[in-house]
Amino acid sequence: MAEDFYDVLGVGRDASEEEINRAFRKLAAKYHPDVSDEPDADEKFKRAKKAKEVLADEEKRDLYDRLGHERFLQFEKTGGTDAGGQAAGDFFGGGDAFGGGDPFGDIFEQFFGTRRGRGQGRRRQQGADLRTSMTIDLEEAYHGSRKRITIRRPEGCDTCDGTGRPPGADPVRCPECDGRGQRTRVQRSPFGRVQHTETCPRCEGEGQLYEGQCSACQGEGIVEREATLEVEVPPGIRDGQRLRMEGEGGPGSHGGPPGDLLIEVTVRSHPEFDREGDNLYYALELSFPQAALGDRVTVPTIDGSVEMRIPAGTQNGERFRLDDKGMPRLNRRGYGDLIVEAHVAVPDRLTDEQREAIESLAEAMDVDLEMDTSLFDRIRGSL
């Protein structure tokens, strides 16, 4: 048996809308494809999102509770009928397929030209998602941080509470539908006279109109404002990944919830470290004696310096791995590694004493020096 939507979110059947939204945010933070590396994260996020869309909608949740999980999915799949062709109204105990109780009323409007009753013509609609960007340092990506960002976004007008009409305006009955919120048309068809009932286009199903418009928003119900938000940056976030702030996007319409704010994160280049995934790379400058004889050196990390041993005979470009000294793994335990690459430096200028020592080394290494080749080029080639 498939896992039902309550189990997906981990909430009880009596959970409030706030508990449902809170459970979804927790799962989204764990499984969103932009922040999770788990192989099945995308599928888990989609299931959680679907569960939230159904259970956070009062009408859909009521239908879901009445039908049960499997029958609800079949109802959606078949466009408002069950596998046997039973219409949506029949799910409610013999209800009228042309009347109330159907949260998917547009299905019937497509075939019969009907909509839901008075006062329900305006459908709740979620607000648009907004996008912005933010730049952080590698240290902030390592430790995590709280950042403040300022954006301009549309918000509901405070003057008219988002209605678009003048404060205190008195409603008048819509003359188009005589206050019913619907209008009825009768047409002839091969099957006889067919009555079409549709939402009144003038009052949009409200049954009433208001004269004038709000001067603050020019009747739009929305104004653009500057908003300062505090963003929580999780440890281990990578360059180009996005953070989602639920409910901080554009305002919903007709009582619908606001959209989300998507923040694309840019991680600045670091002067000492390069990053690939969760691993960091550091170029360690070594002198020729250090590389040849070995040494103990101090290596920087994002979280402080550590000591490491350079073995004798280290070659130019040779790499050493320091476990768990890289970046935190986003939404997982543990760290990546620090890869230290040896860069053996050859001096440009030598004292007479240094040159004599190098020539003695070349002789001991049986290096055949040519007239047109510098001594250090020959020794460098032997490294």
Side-chain angles (χ1 to χ4, degrees):
M1 183 176 179
E3 186 179 29
D4 73 14
F5 291 153
Y6 291 99
D7 291 337
V8 169
L9 296 179
V11 297
R13 304 190 76 84
D14 58 347
S16 65
E17 183 176 351
E18 175 58 31
E19 290 173 323
I20 290 169
N21 288 327
R22 191 185 310 121
F24 171 73
R25 287 194 294 269
K26 184 177 180 181
L27 292 174
K30 182 177 181 180
Y31 294 120
H32 195 284
D34 289 340
V35 298
S36 178
D37 293 330
E38 294 193 21
D40 57 349
D42 186 56
E43 183 60 33
K44 288 182 177 179
F45 176 74
K46 287 179 180 178
R47 286 204 303 268
K49 185 178 181 182
K50 177 64 177 177
K52 181 251 187 185
E53 288 174 353
V54 172
L55 299 185
D57 186 292
E58 184 178 350
E59 293 179 335
K60 289 184 180 180
R61 182 176 180 179
D62 181 64
L63 181 63
Y64 182 79
D65 290 341
R66 289 172 182 258
L67 300 182
H69 185 74
E70 297 295 340
R71 204 174 181 194
F72 178 86
L73 295 180
Q74 182 65 33
F75 174 80
E76 283 192 317
K77 183 178 179 181
T78 57
T81 61
D82 67 4
Q86 185 180 15
D90 296 333
F91 283 124
F92 295 92
D96 182 3
F98 293 86
D102 172 21
F104 301 96
D106 284 347
I107 295 171
F108 297 100
E109 180 188 2
Q110 179 180 352
F111 294 104
F112 303 107
T114 64
R115 282 198 179 182
R116 288 175 287 177
R118 176 178 177 177
Q120 299 182 17
R122 295 187 177 187
R123 303 186 62 180
R124 296 173 68 234
Q125 186 172 355
Q126 185 172 9
D129 288 344
L130 303 180
R131 288 170 172 78
T132 189
S133 59
M134 177 177 65
T135 301
I136 62 174
D137 296 326
L138 186 63
E139 286 83 358
E140 292 174 309
Y142 180 90
H143 295 289
S145 64
R146 298 188 71 87
K147 304 280 288 184
R148 286 184 177 272
I149 61 171
T150 300
I151 61 171
R152 292 194 65 83
R153 65 180 178 185
E155 296 181 358
C157 177
D158 292 336
T159 303
C160 63
D161 290 329
T163 63
R165 55 181 178 256
D170 294 326
V172 296
R173 179 180 296 178
C174 175
E176 184 78 17
C177 63
D178 197 28
R180 292 188 297 270
Q182 296 178 317
R183 67 181 187 182
T184 302
R185 295 182 294 113
V186 179
Q187 293 181 336
R188 295 184 179 275
S189 75
F191 305 100
R193 291 163 58 88
V194 178
Q195 180 173 293
H196 295 264
T197 302
E198 62 183 6
T199 299
C200 176
R202 185 169 179 179
C203 67
E204 296 184 301
E206 295 296 325
Q208 54 193 19
L209 300 172
Y210 292 84
E211 294 184 359
Q213 62 183 22
C214 173
S215 59
C217 64
Q218 285 72 50
E220 295 295 328
I222 294 174
V223 294
E224 189 175 89
R225 291 196 185 94
E226 195 172 80
T228 299
L229 306 173
E230 192 170 73
V231 183
E232 185 170 348
V233 180
I237 193 166
R238 300 180 185 179
D239 183 70
Q241 288 187 317
R242 291 185 302 179
L243 298 173
R244 179 182 293 269
M245 296 187 71
E246 191 169 278
E248 296 293 351
S253 58
H254 313 310
D260 300 336
L261 176 64
L262 305 179
I263 306 168
E264 183 168 334
V265 178
T266 297
V267 181
R268 292 188 185 94
S269 298
H270 196 276
E272 292 187 297
F273 302 105
D274 292 324
R275 180 182 183 181
E276 290 185 14
D278 297 326
N279 293 335
L280 293 177
Y281 290 78
Y282 174 73
L284 176 65
E285 295 288 337
L286 295 175
S287 67
F288 174 70
Q290 284 179 304
L293 302 177
D295 197 5
R296 293 195 69 84
V297 297
T298 299
V299 176
T301 73
I302 297 291
D303 202 27
S305 299
V306 296
E307 279 197 353
M308 67 172 289
R309 187 180 68 84
I310 300 297
T314 293
Q315 303 297 303
N316 186 56
E318 188 171 349
R319 290 181 172 182
F320 304 93
R321 183 181 296 270
L322 298 181
D323 295 339
D324 299 326
K325 295 301 180 182
M327 297 295 291
R329 294 190 172 95
L330 185 64
N331 292 328
R332 293 185 296 164
R333 293 182 179 178
Y335 292 76
D337 301 329
L338 175 62
I339 312 300
V340 180
E341 184 173 289
H343 288 194
V344 181
V346 177
D348 294 329
R349 298 178 182 179
L350 296 172
T351 64
D352 291 341
E353 184 179 358
Q354 290 170 336
R355 180 173 293 277
E356 289 178 5
I358 294 297
E359 287 174 347
S360 298
L361 174 63
E363 184 177 349
M365 294 173 62
D366 197 24
V367 176
D368 185 14
L369 301 179
E370 297 179 1
M371 294 297 293
D372 59 346
T373 303
S374 71
L375 174 62
F376 263 100
D377 285 343
R378 299 296 296 168
I379 292 180
R380 183 186 292 124
S382 68
L383 294 179

